Amino acid sequence: MTTPLPVSAGDASRVLFTGIRDHTDILIEVLLRLPPWSLCQLRCVCKLWLERTTSSTFLSAYAERHTTNPSNWFLLDRTIFIDTAPTPRGPIRALLRNSEPPKVSSIITSSRMCSIRRKESFYDQLPMVVSYSGGLILLTGNENNYYVCNPFTGDTFLLPVPKPQLRNAESLGIVARDGEYVVAELMMSCLRSFSSVNGRWEEKPLVCPQFSRGDMVFSSGGMLHWVDLNCGILSCDPFASEPTVLFINLPEASGRPTRGLDEWIHMRYVGVSAGRLCFFDIDEDDGESGSMSLWALGGNSGEWVLEYKVDFEDLWEDESYDDYLLDEDEVPLVGLVDPLNEHSVYVISQDCLFNIDLKTKQILNCTTQTNAGREVGSSPPIACVVPPLPHLVSPYPSCLRKEASNSDPQEAGSSDKPQKSGKGRRRKSKT
């Protein structure tokens, strides 16, 4: 009987890697089955895997397989997790720490982008995730700077500062379409926008109804939507040279806050689910325990249709309530709607995020913390749908995409700053 020779862990991994490398068909099939965020990481393993994952044949096959994958979305915490460890010079990175819903994912970056500090003045914006669209995130950093980043690759671009300076993050949104993006701010008489096509800020004349307040901004179908939860939605195409505004009224059959208009943000939510505009409303005065309703905008009629209405009493009576113990004495706060499944909604109660199925009237699950260890609190996360090929979405303007990967994004985004010359005095050595 022969004794097998011992094999070290390093030898075993080399044998496994060589075996996969020699069987291209197996390697391609394995890579095709990976979720987008894992594929972004594995392209850095070696040149062979990079070539395989960026070929036109692989990209077409991957896009076809993952376009309708229901798991390609995540919940993103608005609070940015700051890594205080020293970071070397070079491009600033902002990466996604991903978890599948209902767990909440986080953005992790270094203190070079977002320092840990208090809000010093009224106009200061605390570091936070502002908006998401098509694999790109708009976020704030130090000194009221705004960044566009791809959280799957970590690539980050510092937006140039417009004049006058951006003051309100709640009026800003980002929309990605056909490999380009626009960051836009809705103002009284114009749309101020930054386009990745020309790499600069510009103002486009715009005539629109006056909003009393701007509560949220989101994108869908290449359009940006500004929401006043008291009255309606303003929608426009920021890519157009002469944008026009479409105004959509919100449904009338909904509750009103008892503690002032500031409470709208905790009772109403507008977003996109299964390709349709949705309005999610909680009425704390409906019945004995309150109710929640979900409306969808009809494609042909252009009118709001009530899809679901559930009394909270129905949740208390279901067996799933005993597993999660949602407080009967407290009306939950609005969270969000599943972007791929409109009868799946999220509410917030006791600093926990509960996932509820409106069709079966059951509590599916809940989570108390983000994957960075922060409590969920009363601020709902952002629903983010992952594009089929997220690692190909670039945050850099078209004119900078070739050299941006080898330069510091802060320098690329602030081209008006004087650059240091490479020439200088040579320091004399001490004798």
Side-chain angles (χ1 to χ4, degrees), residues 29-102:
E29 182 59 30
V30 171
L31 294 175
L32 284 173
R33 298 189 180 198
L34 295 175
W37 38 82
S38 297
L39 188 66
C40 292
Q41 296 173 347
L42 289 179
R43 68 174 185 160
C44 303
V45 170
C46 63
K47 292 183 179 179
L48 174 65
W49 289 19
L50 177 61
E51 293 173 357
R52 291 288 186 267
T53 55
T54 54
S55 66
S56 58
T57 304
F58 178 85
L59 295 179
S60 300
Y62 190 87
E64 182 179 355
R65 180 174 297 194
H66 289 264
T67 299
T68 58
N69 190 340
S71 64
N72 283 351
W73 77 283
F74 59 94
L75 294 170
L76 182 61
D77 187 19
R78 290 184 178 272
T79 301
I80 299 173
F81 181 80
I82 303 173
D83 188 358
T84 57
T87 56
R89 291 293 302 172
I92 294 178
R93 299 292 185 186
L95 288 166
L96 173 69
R97 178 184 286 180
N98 181 70
S99 295
E100 292 187 6

Side-chain angles (χ1 to χ4, degrees), residues 287-327:
E288 296 182 0
S289 60
S291 65
M292 50 186 171
S293 305
L294 182 71
W295 303 71
L297 194 65
N300 297 328
S301 62
E303 298 179 354
W304 291 101
V305 178
L306 180 62
E307 299 287 344
Y308 302 97
K309 183 176 181 179
V310 177
D311 294 332
F312 285 109
E313 290 181 358
D314 297 334
L315 294 178
W316 314 151
E317 297 174 357
D318 189 81
E319 295 179 357
S320 62
Y321 168 74
D322 296 332
D323 298 331
Y324 299 102
L325 295 179
L326 190 61
D327 190 0

Side-chain angles (χ1 to χ4, degrees), residues 99-341:
S99 295
E100 292 187 6
K103 295 182 179 179
V104 182
S105 304
S106 305
I107 293 296
I108 303 176
T109 187
S110 67
S111 56
R112 288 173 54 200
M113 176 187 290
C114 303
S115 60
I116 303 176
R117 61 180 179 84
R118 293 184 177 181
K119 190 173 180 179
E120 298 177 356
S121 69
F122 176 79
Y123 294 107
D124 281 348
Q125 297 288 347
L126 294 177
M128 61 177 290
V129 176
V130 178
S131 182
Y132 173 90
S133 178
L136 293 177
I137 290 176
L138 176 66
L139 51 85
T140 61
N142 293 332
E143 301 176 357
N144 289 345
N145 290 325
Y146 288 83
Y147 296 82
V148 176
C149 76
N150 182 328
F152 306 98
T153 62
D155 295 337
T156 305
F157 173 72
L158 171 64
L159 291 175
V161 180
K163 295 181 180 180
Q165 189 176 359
L166 300 172
R167 292 297 189 186
N168 185 12
E170 294 179 352
S171 65
L172 280 172
I174 184 172
V175 54
R177 187 174 73 189
D178 299 330
E180 302 294 342
Y181 68 86
V182 170
V183 176
E185 178 186 24
L186 186 64
M187 305 181 73
M188 293 295 296
S189 60
C190 69
L191 182 72
R192 183 162 59 162
S193 62
F194 174 88
S195 172
S196 63
V197 176
N198 52 36
R200 66 176 184 271
W201 287 93
E202 57 184 352
E203 294 184 357
K204 302 176 182 179
L206 196 67
V207 178
C208 63
Q210 183 177 357
F211 263 21
S212 61
R213 56 187 291 125
D215 295 304
M216 57 188 301
V217 186
F218 67 96
S219 67
S220 69
M223 304 277 285
L224 268 178
H225 310 278
W226 285 265
V227 182
D228 183 343
L229 293 172
N230 184 34
C231 57
I233 308 169
L234 284 179
S235 303
C236 80
D237 180 4
F239 289 94
S241 56
E242 298 180 358
T244 57
V245 171
L246 172 66
F247 180 74
I248 304 172
N249 284 304
L250 293 178
E252 296 180 359
S254 56
R256 299 186 62 83
T258 59
R259 296 179 293 276
L261 293 179
D262 289 340
E263 295 298 315
W264 280 129
I265 196 67
H266 299 307
M267 298 181 62
R268 293 179 167 184
Y269 170 85
V270 179
V272 177
S273 180
R276 298 195 297 173
L277 282 177
C278 291
F279 174 67
F280 181 34
D281 171 67
I282 288 183
D283 187 354
E284 58 184 3
D285 297 324
D286 186 14
E288 296 182 0
S289 60
S291 65
M292 50 186 171
S293 305
L294 182 71
W295 303 71
L297 194 65
N300 297 328
S301 62
E303 298 179 354
W304 291 101
V305 178
L306 180 62
E307 299 287 344
Y308 302 97
K309 183 176 181 179
V310 177
D311 294 332
F312 285 109
E313 290 181 358
D314 297 334
L315 294 178
W316 314 151
E317 297 174 357
D318 189 81
E319 295 179 357
S320 62
Y321 168 74
D322 296 332
D323 298 331
Y324 299 102
L325 295 179
L326 190 61
D327 190 0
E328 297 183 19
D329 299 327
E330 178 182 337
V331 176
L333 307 178
V334 159
L336 67 151
V337 181
D338 188 317
L340 304 180
N341 186 355

